[in-house]
Amino acid sequence: MRILSVDYGDVRTGLAISDLLGLIASPLPTFKTRSMRSAIDYIADVARENEVDRIVVGLPLNMDGSEGERARKTRAFARVLERVCAVPVILEDERLTSVEAENILIEGNVKRDKRKQLLDSMAARLILQSYLDRTVK
C-alpha cells in the first residue's frame, strides 16, 4: 500500500510518500502553489504516477484543537482532491509539524535559504510518518 502525504499551503505545498509496505515516509520535492486547482492537478498526477491507495492531508488545527480559516480551507481542498483522485483522503492533525521540521533541518545544519525549500516536504513527511506509526500494523 502506498500513501501520499500533503502539507498544503498558499505559497508552497510539501509532499511525502510511503514505501510499498507503508512503514517509512520519504519527502518528495516541494512545489510552488499557484492556486488550489493547480495544486490539486499536480497532486493528482503524482498520485497516479505512484499508484497511491490513499492520501493524507495535514489539517492545521489551532493549539487548542479548534479550527480556524486555514483548517476550513484545507478541508475544502481535501474534499476536491478526493473527488479528483478517486482515492480516500484522510485528514491528519499537523500541529507543530512545521516547528519540528524546522528543528530537524537546523540540527542537520541545513542553511536557512535551503531550509525554506525543504520545510514543507519535511512537514509532509512528519505528518505521514505519524499517520503510518499510528495506523499501519
Side-chain angles (χ1 to χ4, degrees), residues 13-136:
T13 297
L15 298 176
I17 195 158
S18 73
D19 63 327
L20 288 172
L21 296 175
L23 300 174
I24 299 170
S26 299
L28 294 173
T30 298
F31 67 92
K32 184 176 168 93
T33 307
R34 289 182 175 78
S35 67
M36 182 185 290
R37 186 64 214 197
S38 69
I40 287 170
D41 290 342
Y42 181 84
I43 294 163
D45 288 344
V46 172
R48 275 190 291 279
E49 288 169 11
N50 290 282
E51 300 176 350
V52 302
D53 299 296
R54 74 181 68 145
I55 300 171
V56 175
V57 174
L59 181 64
L61 299 173
N62 296 322
M63 290 308 293
D64 65 0
S66 64
E67 292 189 15
E69 183 58 33
R70 185 78 218 154
R72 286 187 285 281
K73 188 172 186 177
T74 300
R75 283 188 182 279
F77 168 82
R79 281 191 301 273
V80 175
L81 184 63
E82 187 169 50
R83 284 195 304 265
V84 170
C85 292
V87 298
V89 173
I90 296 102
L91 293 166
E92 179 77 7
D93 183 354
E94 70 166 35
R95 281 179 281 186
L96 298 178
T97 55
S98 292
V99 172
E100 186 179 353
E102 178 92 16
N103 289 336
I104 289 168
L105 294 170
I106 289 170
E107 288 172 14
N109 293 319
V110 176
K111 294 185 188 214
R112 184 181 306 255
D113 57 330
K114 186 70 172 170
R115 282 196 312 260
K116 190 175 180 180
Q117 296 170 13
L118 300 173
L119 184 65
D120 299 290
S121 287
M122 180 61 73
R125 188 197 70 77
L126 292 170
I127 292 163
L128 180 54
Q129 193 62 58
S130 174
Y131 175 81
L132 295 173
D133 292 347
R134 195 180 75 261
T135 62
V136 178

